[in-house]
């Protein structure tokens, strides 16, 4: 994927060099001189532009998060590839151009100018198309305030689209065919009951023609056979099945049939069908985490959140990790009687441990194997509370007596699981979603969540976890590297343009890509997640790179004595072809990625951003440049000339 992204950028430098050589050949230069001029004119701006483009990907490499680690190779591949592409463009491309391109006879006299810039309308820029485009640029300069205001309004509208229309997502699902089935029986159930449920599911899956294999793990989840696997905590009440459908196309059909089985034929357990995840694993994506000083403080709020989830048709598989209430027998020891009979609490505990779980008394050797021999009560005695009260306790003198003489066995119930987070009692309510993204549901339920949060005791908290929390954490880790990238980009721009005002003008074009990103994602209802955000960061470098080359062309024309307005117009006309070609190359390179589950959001973001940003760079930047430096009306200058 990173190589395909780089593919659209690798040809940029070569396009610029070849276009410069072609322009000089049209102006009547010989091939060697035209090729040499291309190096002198384009090498430094292209190097700065290449470094800026690579720096646009730098926040990915600096991200201190699991998501950043997962996608760091994007920066590595793009940076290395662009570095080599620049070297090839300035050293090899001119050489090949002298072999393949033909010298042109220009209607102009001439020899061109020493700096290699074509300052008139010759050199192929006097066709009807360029005449019309030149008129468009002049109009943009004449109505520069309207152009700048319209662009600002479009940018504000794009921010509104991101806030209210564009769906939010963390990472897309994997394109691997495997399905995971989590089966959770009652936590009062035995291992045998869990194993029986898994075998029943295996038998049902064996009848599906689209299923090629099933692997079951009882008492724990599958081992980490996949980097982003959400590894389950071992539990006697858990069985996890790894189902391999025939192919990816059959995966969704098989998942629907399994869900139907769970709903109709397995009422005694809670089942979940899921695909593998891309990026850091989050399990069920919608999670609300409640923490407080005690479980009694947060349990009522957890019940309210659970009821709120169950009332929403877009939310399914609702559960909480507070655990079911298990049957328990509490041993209440009478210390006075125990001392009178000469036994300690530890001895009573050991006797119960021996009766219930067993205690090794010897080792039996069979060949090269040593097998422990345990002694414990028979199953009918272990499973009967009356029989258990007759379990014998031995004293140090060798006498024995039933445990009922020194203790009472009191049956009661308690939660199966009690979890803490940062030392605080915590309950997590979690669920899957369908037909919407977790962020959309969170936004819809925000008001109700605020009410529940307001009614909780002092010191208790209610926060969103799951995909929402992980997405915010990952995006925050990437955004933390943005100031470093911006500082480096500003430094590179100062090296090139040596002007704070010009640097700010160039940087101002970078956010324009968000207009196209928002429009594209909103039009096709493509979620904006971590991967799409990486595409947006990459766009900043691509757009700024084109702006650097355009400003460099304006400076070159001004240096020859051309008035500012004409220099802006002619530089934009001269840069139209290479900017459009490089943008089209990058856009076309994204097409193979649009069908990818993982890379698709990034591809659409880059395509939409480049389409709009390229057009605005050729209109907005000339207007902004003219406004910043007070360029006069180009038509008035032309009439005066």
């Amino acid at each position: 994927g990173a190589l395909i992204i780089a593919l659209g950028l690798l040809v940029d430098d070569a396009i610029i060099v070849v276009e410069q050589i072609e322009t000089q050949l049209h102006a009547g230069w010989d091939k060697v001189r035209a090729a040499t001029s291309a190096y002198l004119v384009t090498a430094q701006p292209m190097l700065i532009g290449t470094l800026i483009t690579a720096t646009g990907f730098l926040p990915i490499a600096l991200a201190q998060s699991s998501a950043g680690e997962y996608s760091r190779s994007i920066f590595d591949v793009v940076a290395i590839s662009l570095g080599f592409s620049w070297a090839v463009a300035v050293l090899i491309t001119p050489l090949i151009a002298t072999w393949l391109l033909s010298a042109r006879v220009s209607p102009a006299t001439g020899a061109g100018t020493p700096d290699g810039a074509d300052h008139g309308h010759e050199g192929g820029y006097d066709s009807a198309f360029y005449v019309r485009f030149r008129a468009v640029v002049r109009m943009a300069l004449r109505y520069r305030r309207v152009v700048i205001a319209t662009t600002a309004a479009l940018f504000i509208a794009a921010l509104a689209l991101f806030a209210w229309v564009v769906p939010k997502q963390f990472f897309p699902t994997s394109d691997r065919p495997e399905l995971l089935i989590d089966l959770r029986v009652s936590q009062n159930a035995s291992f045998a009951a869990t194993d029986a449920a898994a075998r029943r599911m295996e038998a049902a899956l064996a009848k599906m023609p689209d299923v090629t294999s099933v692997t079951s793990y009882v008492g724990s989840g599958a081992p980490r056979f996949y980097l982003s696997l959400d590894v389950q905590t071992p539990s006697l009440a858990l069985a996890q099945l790894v189902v391999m459908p025939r192919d990816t196309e059959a995966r969704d059909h098989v998942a629907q049939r399994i869900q139907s089985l769970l709903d109709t034929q397995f009422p005694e357990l809670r089942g979940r069908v899921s695909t593998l995840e891309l990026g850091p694993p989050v399990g069920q994506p919608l999670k609300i985490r409640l923490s407080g000083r005690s479980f009694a403080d947060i349990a009522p709020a957890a019940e309210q959140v659970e009821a709120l989830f169950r009332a929403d048709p877009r939310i399914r598989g609702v559960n909480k990790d507070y655990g079911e209430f298990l049957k328990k027998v509490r041993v209440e020891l009478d210390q006075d009687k125990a001392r009178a009979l000469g036994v300690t609490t530890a001895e009573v505990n050991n006797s119960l441990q021996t009766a219930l779980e067993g205690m090794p008394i010897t080792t039996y050797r069979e060949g090269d194997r040593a097998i422990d021999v345990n002694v414990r009560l028979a199953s009918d005695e272990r499973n009967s509370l009356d029989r258990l009260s007759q379990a014998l306790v031995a004293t140090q003198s060798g006498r024995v007596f039933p445990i009922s003489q020194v203790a009472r066995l009191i049956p009661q119930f308690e939660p199966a699981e009690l979890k803490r987070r940062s030392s605080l009692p915590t309950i997590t309510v979690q669920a899957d979603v369908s037909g919407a993204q977790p962020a959309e549901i969170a936004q819809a339920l925000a008001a109700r969540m605020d009410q529940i949060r307001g009614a909780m005791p002092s010191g208790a908290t209610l926060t969103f976890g799951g995909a929402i929390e992980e997405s915010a954490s990952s995006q925050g880790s990437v955004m933390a590297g943005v100031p470093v990238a911006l500082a480096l980009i500003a430094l590179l721009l100062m090296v090139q343009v040596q002007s704070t005002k010009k640097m700010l003008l160039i940087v101002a074009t970078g956010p324009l890509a968000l207009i196209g990103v928002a429009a594209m994602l909103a039009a096709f209802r493509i979620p904006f997640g971590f991967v799409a955000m990486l595409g947006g960061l990459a766009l900043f470098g691509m757009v700024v790179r084109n702006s650097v080359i355009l400003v460099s062309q304006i400076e070159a024309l001004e240096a020859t004595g051309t008035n500012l307005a004409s220099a802006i117009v002619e530089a934009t006309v001269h840069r139209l072809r290479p900017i459009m070609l490089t943008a089209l190359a990058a856009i076309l390179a994204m097409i193979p990625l649009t069908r990818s589950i993982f890379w698709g959001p990034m591809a659409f973001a880059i395509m939409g951003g480049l389409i709009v940003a390229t057009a605005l760079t050729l209109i907005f930047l000339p207007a902004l440049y003219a406004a910043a430096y007070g360029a006069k009306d180009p038509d008035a200058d032309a009439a005066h000339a």
Side-chain angles (χ1 to χ4, degrees):
L3 282 172
I4 295 177
I5 294 172
L7 176 64
L9 306 175
L10 295 181
V11 297
D12 288 6
D13 292 337
I15 287 175
I16 294 171
V17 170
V18 172
E19 190 275 341
Q20 182 70 24
I21 295 173
E22 182 75 2
T23 298
Q24 306 305 351
L25 292 177
H26 270 289
W29 292 38
D30 64 83
K31 292 193 291 184
V32 173
R33 188 180 178 196
T36 305
S37 168
Y39 174 84
L40 296 174
V41 173
T42 63
Q44 180 175 327
M46 285 195 314
L47 177 60
I48 298 297
T50 297
L51 293 175
I52 288 174
T53 304
T55 304
F57 290 88
L58 182 61
I60 305 173
L62 298 179
Q64 299 298 314
S65 66
S66 53
E69 181 181 358
Y70 190 86
S71 52
R72 187 163 296 141
S73 59
I74 298 177
F75 169 77
D76 300 335
V77 172
V78 171
I80 295 171
S81 301
L82 289 181
F84 278 100
S85 76
W86 175 84
V88 170
V90 299
L91 298 176
I92 308 300
T93 302
L95 177 63
I96 298 177
T98 60
W99 297 341
L100 299 182
L101 297 181
S102 302
R104 309 292 178 85
V105 178
S106 173
T109 56
T113 55
D115 65 350
D118 180 16
H119 306 307
H121 294 183
E122 68 275 6
Y125 296 109
D126 53 357
S127 65
F129 172 79
Y130 283 109
V131 169
R132 287 192 291 269
F133 179 70
R134 190 176 281 109
V136 171
V137 178
R138 285 174 176 165
M139 185 176 296
L141 265 62
R142 187 181 306 115
Y143 300 103
R144 63 194 68 171
R145 292 183 179 178
V146 176
V147 171
I148 295 171
T150 302
T151 304
L154 289 174
F155 182 73
I156 294 173
L159 296 180
L161 284 177
F162 274 117
W164 303 106
V165 179
V166 177
K168 307 299 189 297
Q169 184 186 50
F170 178 39
F171 267 91
T173 56
S174 172
D175 54 2
R176 288 179 54 146
E178 292 97 333
L179 289 170
L180 299 177
I181 307 176
D182 293 345
L183 303 178
R184 296 183 183 274
V185 300
S186 169
Q187 290 175 309
N188 285 289
S190 63
F191 178 86
T194 308
D195 183 59
R199 292 181 184 276
R200 283 178 56 208
M201 178 58 74
E202 287 179 1
L205 293 172
K207 299 176 183 178
M208 297 184 185
D210 290 335
V211 174
T212 60
S213 68
V214 180
T215 306
S216 300
Y217 300 89
V218 181
S220 67
R224 194 183 294 278
F225 67 91
Y226 174 74
L227 175 64
S228 297
L229 183 68
D230 183 25
V231 178
Q232 300 297 314
T233 303
S235 170
L236 295 180
L238 168 69
Q240 188 172 63
L241 285 68
V242 181
V243 180
M244 178 65 74
R246 186 182 65 254
D247 49 36
T248 306
E249 285 80 17
R251 182 182 68 182
D252 293 339
H253 174 66
V254 171
Q256 292 175 359
R257 293 192 60 186
I258 295 173
Q259 188 62 53
S260 177
L261 280 174
L262 291 171
D263 294 339
T264 58
Q265 299 184 26
F266 292 83
E268 77 280 10
L269 54 80
R270 174 165 57 87
R272 177 176 185 250
V273 186
S274 61
T275 59
L276 297 177
E277 299 180 62
L278 285 176
V282 295
Q284 290 186 279
L286 183 61
K287 295 182 180 180
I288 300 292
R289 194 165 51 244
L290 303 99
S291 298
R293 290 173 296 187
S294 68
F295 287 100
D297 285 348
I298 57 177
E303 296 289 343
Q304 295 178 44
V305 173
E306 184 177 12
L308 188 62
F309 278 6
R310 294 189 185 280
D312 194 317
R314 300 170 298 177
I315 304 176
R316 54 185 176 81
V318 182
N319 66 93
K320 59 180 181 291
D321 65 359
Y322 191 43
E324 306 169 37
F325 279 87
L326 298 181
K327 291 177 288 186
K328 171 189 175 182
V329 177
R330 182 165 61 89
V331 179
E332 192 174 273
L333 186 64
D334 187 328
Q335 295 290 350
D336 293 334
K337 290 184 178 180
R339 283 194 295 270
L341 292 173
V343 294
T344 64
T345 302
E347 290 170 337
V348 174
N349 180 67
N350 290 337
S351 297
L352 283 173
Q353 181 74 18
T354 301
L356 296 174
E357 299 296 333
M359 179 176 292
I361 57 173
T362 186
T363 300
Y364 171 73
R365 295 191 175 276
E366 186 176 273
D368 59 351
R369 293 191 304 166
I371 303 173
D372 288 336
V373 178
N374 290 356
V375 59
R376 65 177 181 178
L377 292 179
S379 59
D380 59 338
E381 297 182 8
R382 295 198 309 271
N383 297 329
S384 170
L385 190 59
D386 292 336
R387 294 285 188 91
L388 186 61
S389 64
Q390 300 304 312
L392 298 179
V393 178
T395 66
Q396 294 181 354
S397 62
R399 293 187 304 157
V400 295
F401 57 87
I403 195 173
S404 58
Q405 288 192 14
V406 293
R408 288 192 305 153
L409 303 184
I410 304 174
Q412 61 183 35
F413 291 89
E414 69 174 15
E417 295 178 347
L418 295 176
K419 296 190 176 181
R420 293 177 179 269
R421 184 181 178 92
S422 300
S423 300
L424 290 176
T426 301
I427 300 175
T428 301
V429 184
Q430 51 199 358
D432 292 302
V433 298
S434 60
Q437 296 295 332
E440 296 178 67
I441 296 177
Q443 187 175 7
L445 299 179
R448 295 293 305 276
M449 291 298 173
D450 288 340
Q451 294 176 2
I452 296 174
R453 186 184 291 111
M456 294 174 66
S458 176
T461 60
L462 184 154
T463 57
F464 282 95
I468 298 172
E469 180 184 49
E470 192 67 34
S471 178
S473 173
S474 298
Q475 291 185 15
S477 69
V478 173
M479 297 307 294
V482 170
V484 177
L486 288 176
L488 290 176
I489 289 174
L491 178 61
L492 292 169
L493 289 174
M494 287 299 293
V495 171
Q496 176 62 31
V497 300
Q498 300 181 7
S499 166
T500 302
K501 182 184 289 188
K502 290 178 182 178
M503 178 198 71
L504 295 176
L505 292 177
I506 293 171
V507 171
T509 62
L512 299 182
L514 292 180
I515 300 173
V517 173
M520 179 69 78
L521 298 184
F524 292 95
R525 297 298 297 170
I526 297 170
F528 181 78
F530 185 79
V531 181
M533 184 193 68
L534 300 185
L537 292 175
L539 278 170
F540 186 87
M542 299 178 192
V543 175
V544 168
R545 182 179 186 276
N546 287 334
S547 301
V548 168
I549 297 174
L550 178 55
V551 170
S552 298
Q553 186 77 23
I554 296 173
E555 290 178 332
L557 292 178
E558 278 193 284
T560 63
T562 306
N563 69 72
L564 178 58
S566 297
I568 294 173
V569 173
E570 293 307 316
T572 306
V573 171
H574 285 206
R575 289 295 98 197
L576 171 64
R577 184 165 60 186
I579 288 177
M580 292 297 294
L581 286 176
T582 54
L584 284 173
I587 291 169
L588 293 174
M590 294 299 109
I591 292 178
L593 292 178
T594 56
R595 295 179 60 85
S596 167
I597 295 176
F598 181 78
W599 297 102
M602 174 185 279
F604 277 105
I606 290 178
M607 291 171 68
L610 276 181
I611 290 172
V612 174
T614 300
L616 289 178
T617 299
L618 295 170
I619 302 298
F620 170 74
L621 181 57
L624 188 64
Y625 197 100
Y629 284 92
K632 297 180 180 179
D633 189 332
D635 288 341
D637 287 348
H640 178 73

